[in-house]
Amino acid sequence: MSDHWYEDETGPLVRPYTVTQGRTRPASEHGIELMSQVTAVDPDGTEPPLDHARSSLLELVRREPRPVAEVAADADLPLTVVRVLLTDLVEAGLVRISAPVTHEGLDDPELLRDIVDRLREL
């Protein structure tokens, strides 16, 4: 369990796992890897009501597709919590998660150091 606290829309600080209703794993497996790309999807019809945590993640990826690790770092939430919340958004039809993009040069030491630094921020 994380020692991080999270402020929700009501204001009080709560543990991040509270926003997942205690779930530490997604209800279904969507293959969410650290470098999987998260992309917002335009909803068919009206968007379902979302709590603060889920709507905040959705806003992060509406700006541009982003890797899961970056979403977690920018949301300042543990990766396990972000995976659960992203799975909820996938099941609501609001985001799509794609396999990590593979490019030549991903073994670039500078890029790998940047990834490690971002993971440490989590």
Side-chain angles (χ1 to χ4, degrees), residues 73-91:
D74 289 345
D76 195 28
L77 288 171
L79 184 60
T80 53
V81 171
V82 170
R83 283 182 169 146
V84 170
L85 298 176
L86 288 175
T87 300
D88 292 347
L89 292 173
V90 167
E91 291 172 358

Side-chain angles (χ1 to χ4, degrees), residues 4-107:
H4 292 283
W5 292 86
Y6 173 76
E7 186 170 351
D8 70 4
E9 70 276 3
T10 62
L13 295 175
V14 296
R15 288 198 180 271
Y17 292 97
T18 303
V19 300
T20 64
Q21 290 84 40
R23 294 176 293 155
T24 58
R25 295 178 191 209
S28 59
E29 188 56 46
H30 286 280
I32 301 176
E33 299 176 30
L34 284 176
M35 296 308 293
S36 295
Q37 291 291 308
V38 184
T39 306
V41 176
D42 289 328
D44 295 334
T46 23
E47 188 174 298
L50 300 173
D51 64 13
H52 179 71
R54 288 164 185 80
S55 64
S56 295
L57 289 184
L58 185 56
E59 285 306 312
L60 284 174
V61 298
R62 275 192 172 141
R63 296 178 197 153
E64 65 181 320
R66 306 171 83 170
V68 171
E70 188 176 310
V71 172
D74 289 345
D76 195 28
L77 288 171
L79 184 60
T80 53
V81 171
V82 170
R83 283 182 169 146
V84 170
L85 298 176
L86 288 175
T87 300
D88 292 347
L89 292 173
V90 167
E91 291 172 358
L94 299 172
V95 300
R96 178 180 65 246
I97 299 180
S98 307
V101 178
T102 56
H103 294 288
E104 296 246 348
L106 279 181
D107 56 352

Side-chain angles (χ1 to χ4, degrees), residues 104-116:
E104 296 246 348
L106 279 181
D107 56 352
D108 175 33
E110 186 174 327
L111 175 62
L112 294 175
R113 274 191 295 279
D114 186 42
I115 291 170
V116 168

